[in-house]
């Protein structure tokens, strides 16, 4: 079971600054273990960021993104009580998400 996405969001005026940390191994499929065997590819493919249930960002990632990726963005037109959600899906079918309510 993947760990949830950690999200911090701060509201300044009508702009929400969102920071997220996505715990994930992000294996490229080219590294080898101590015995010399290839470690299978395991990486995030799709990231979706939502504001009150409406997608505002959809990103396609690949194996070149680092382990436990950090992703930050801003949303305009936000207000107190709005919900920000960040979710991902990887190449093995695993998913995770996290959400924060703006204060």
């Amino acid at each position: 079971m993947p760990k949830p996405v950690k999200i911090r969001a701060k509201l300044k005026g009508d702009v929400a600054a969102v920071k997220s940390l996505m715990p994930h191994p992000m294996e490229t499929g080219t590294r080898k273990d101590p015995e010399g065997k290839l470690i299978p590819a395991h990486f995030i493919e799709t990231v979706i960021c939502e504001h009150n249930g409406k997608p505002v960002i959809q990103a396609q990632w690949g194996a070149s993104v680092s382990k436990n990726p950090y992703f930050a963005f801003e949303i305009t037109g936000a207000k107190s009580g709005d919900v920000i959600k960040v979710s991902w899906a990887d190449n093995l079918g695993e998913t995770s998400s996290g959400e924060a309510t703006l204060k």
Side-chain angles (χ1 to χ4, degrees), residues 4 9 23 28-29 66 80 82 93 99 102-103:
T28 64
S66 68
S80 183
D82 286 359
E99 61 181 45
L102 297 174
K103 296 180 183 178

Side-chain angles (χ1 to χ4, degrees), residues 21-39:
L21 183 64
M22 303 176 209
H24 195 280
M26 299 300 286
E27 285 295 341
T28 64
T30 60
R31 287 187 336 118
K32 294 182 180 181
D33 66 14
E35 289 82 42
K37 297 178 185 172
L38 281 177
I39 299 171

Side-chain angles (χ1 to χ4, degrees), residues 4 6 8 16 25 27 33 35-37 55-57 60-61 64 68 71 74 79-80 82 88 100:
K6 297 177 185 176
R8 299 244 168 124
E27 285 295 341
D33 66 14
E35 289 82 42
K37 297 178 185 172
V56 292
I57 298 172
Q60 302 299 314
W61 286 3
S64 64
N68 300 325
F71 186 57
E74 292 183 341
K79 61 186 182 308
S80 183
D82 286 359
W88 58 256

